[in-house]
Amino acid sequence: MESADVVVVGAGIIGAACAEALSRAGRRVLVVDRGAPAGATTASGEGNVLLSDKAPGPELALALAARRRWPALLESLRGELGDLADVEWEAKGGLVVATSPDSVGSLRIISDAQREAGVEVHSLGPEGARKLEPHLTGTVTAAAHYPEDAQLHPVLAATALLAAVRARGGAVVGGVEADGLVVRGGRVAGVRIGGAAVPCGAVVNACGPWAGHFSVAAGAPIEVMPRRGMILVTAPLPPLVRRKVYAADYVAAVSSGDVDLQVSTVVESTAAGTVLIGSSRQRVGFDDSLEVEVLRRLARNAIRLFPVLEGVPVMRAYGGFRPYTPDHLPVIGEDPRMRGLWHASGHEGAGIGLAPATGRLLADLMDGRRPEVDPVPFRVDRPALMAEVRT
């Protein structure tokens, strides 16, 4: 392989977004992946671009920047790539519903806080919720509508970003594994790929759930771990679910650090007419088994929220790993222990939505530009991520 300005290790949505942003800034980029590009975590995602599931704080700030950036980025890619930039973007909105007095209170608290942070959110009663989603259960007592929530096809999105990298003179290579760095004078001078050294000025660790493993091989370990999730997919149906709809306890499940299984109700349709049913979270290492009891719980929860789904055939089920960090924040930035080693991982289930803002933030930091989003909360040397380094 030829030398590059930057080698991005990982060709999922985060690696693709970083590579696109770096190539847009004029850098010659090589993207490598041990598997097929967009074939691992990105391929097992639902394509969510969400504001509704994030409490006010650094991740919501990154999500707001990403939501602003996605439409403009896709428009730019359409001008550059034509039909290759069709990623099935749907700005369909989201609906969070409460079915108990406790969940009504928590929903009101978080939606009020999100509104103050700049999120467009409309509080609804039962009638308003069923006007937006006529097939909802009659037990819904309150809801919050998020018009800015959107969805896209994650594999198509990553493929479009990587196509732009190629069109600008970069390269994308699958089926090769980066197994370490070439270091001279305390900074990155290259990356080892299949026993050969590829010269470069910087390496981006965008390995998703495997980012922790690569960081060890690179000599600068960080705490990024896999968290398994499972999804059911129905056969294609007439339009039944118009938005992403989930129960109010979903936000708590996302932010939970428990090792034990977390299950909350999420139901949404796709452009193909199928309905996606989730969600589960469980820290079990890289065990990719599909557990029947978890799938049954997902199905039962979905029927409680949308009784019309009872009896609908399930076409398939799949699982995947999300990159989890102990403080639930991504890691984006240069490693202070190794100049030229950059990390972009730990987005857990929000990587699709956060990708363009992550790529832009990393490119801004690498080029010394003032970033749109405060980078400090995502720094590599924060205590929760890397306890042996203090600022």
Side-chain angles (χ1 to χ4, degrees):
M1 296 182 198
E2 296 184 2
S3 65
D5 297 327
V6 183
V7 174
V8 177
V9 183
I13 190 69
I14 294 297
C18 290
E20 190 282 330
L22 291 166
S23 66
R24 184 181 292 272
R27 294 177 183 262
R28 188 171 73 258
V29 181
L30 167 64
V31 185
V32 297
D33 198 292
R34 65 180 183 175
T41 296
T42 296
S44 62
E46 297 169 79
N48 293 321
V49 181
L50 301 181
L51 302 177
S52 55
D53 65 339
K54 297 169 183 65
E59 189 180 26
L60 180 57
L62 191 66
L64 285 164
R67 180 59 180 84
R68 291 190 295 268
R69 184 155 177 75
W70 262 123
L73 175 59
L74 293 175
E75 183 63 29
S76 173
L77 292 176
R78 276 191 289 271
E80 195 171 352
L81 303 172
D83 290 343
L84 287 176
D86 181 7
V87 303
E88 299 180 2
W89 172 266
E90 293 183 88
K92 61 185 181 181
L95 190 68
V96 184
V97 300
T99 57
S100 68
D102 288 345
S103 60
V104 169
S106 61
L107 177 59
R108 182 179 298 114
I109 290 169
I110 191 168
S111 60
D112 287 347
Q114 290 168 324
R115 190 179 293 111
E116 291 182 9
V119 178
E120 183 180 357
V121 51
H122 306 287
S123 298
L124 304 173
E127 291 184 4
R130 280 190 288 276
K131 185 176 181 180
L132 293 180
E133 294 289 346
H135 297 290
L136 266 176
T137 175
T139 62
V140 168
T141 54
H145 177 220
Y146 294 82
E148 296 170 295
D149 279 1
Q151 186 180 27
L152 50 70
H153 192 298
V155 174
L156 295 180
T159 300
L161 294 166
L162 294 172
V165 173
R166 291 191 184 97
R168 297 168 190 160
V172 180
V173 182
V176 297
E177 186 165 2
D179 54 15
L181 303 178
V182 178
V183 180
R184 296 193 187 99
R187 68 165 299 119
V188 170
V191 60
R192 294 197 306 270
I193 299 175
V198 178
C200 62
V203 171
V204 179
N205 173 11
C207 297
W210 296 271
H213 286 187
F214 180 76
S215 72
V216 172
I222 57 173
E223 286 289 327
V224 179
M225 300 162 284
R227 203 178 189 195
R228 188 180 67 189
M230 300 182 196
I231 296 173
L232 293 172
V233 186
T234 73
L237 301 170
L240 293 178
V241 184
R242 302 173 182 176
R243 294 159 188 82
K244 178 183 176 74
V245 182
Y246 58 86
D249 65 352
Y250 177 77
V251 177
V254 169
S255 61
S256 170
D258 287 350
V259 173
D260 294 338
L261 176 68
Q262 304 282 313
V263 176
S264 55
T265 313
V266 182
V267 181
E268 62 186 314
S269 60
T270 69
T274 59
V275 174
L276 306 181
I277 297 170
S279 68
S280 69
R281 283 172 164 78
Q282 192 173 15
R283 285 167 53 190
V284 291
F286 285 101
D287 179 0
D288 61 359
S289 305
L290 289 177
E291 297 182 15
V292 173
E293 184 51 38
V294 175
L295 299 176
R296 286 174 176 160
R297 286 182 63 179
L298 295 178
R300 288 195 296 265
N301 288 352
I303 291 169
R304 290 191 190 102
L305 201 58
F306 284 93
V308 69
L309 292 175
E310 186 171 10
V312 168
V314 171
M315 183 169 62
R316 66 187 181 100
Y318 64 92
F321 301 108
R322 306 178 180 106
Y324 166 89
T325 63
D327 61 1
H328 302 284
L329 286 177
V331 50
I332 307 166
E334 189 175 23
D335 198 303
R337 299 163 295 183
M338 185 76 67
R339 296 298 304 277
L341 173 62
W342 296 73
H343 301 281
S345 185
H347 299 73
E348 201 168 335
I352 306 299
L354 299 177
T358 297
R360 179 65 177 271
L361 175 57
L362 184 133
D364 285 346
L365 292 172
M366 195 176 290
D367 284 345
R369 293 188 298 267
R370 182 176 180 179
E372 178 185 5
V373 177
D374 181 6
V376 172
F378 310 109
R379 72 190 192 278
V380 181
D381 58 347
R382 62 189 195 257
L385 195 70
M386 194 173 57
E388 69 272 23
V389 174
R390 303 292 183 182
T391 55

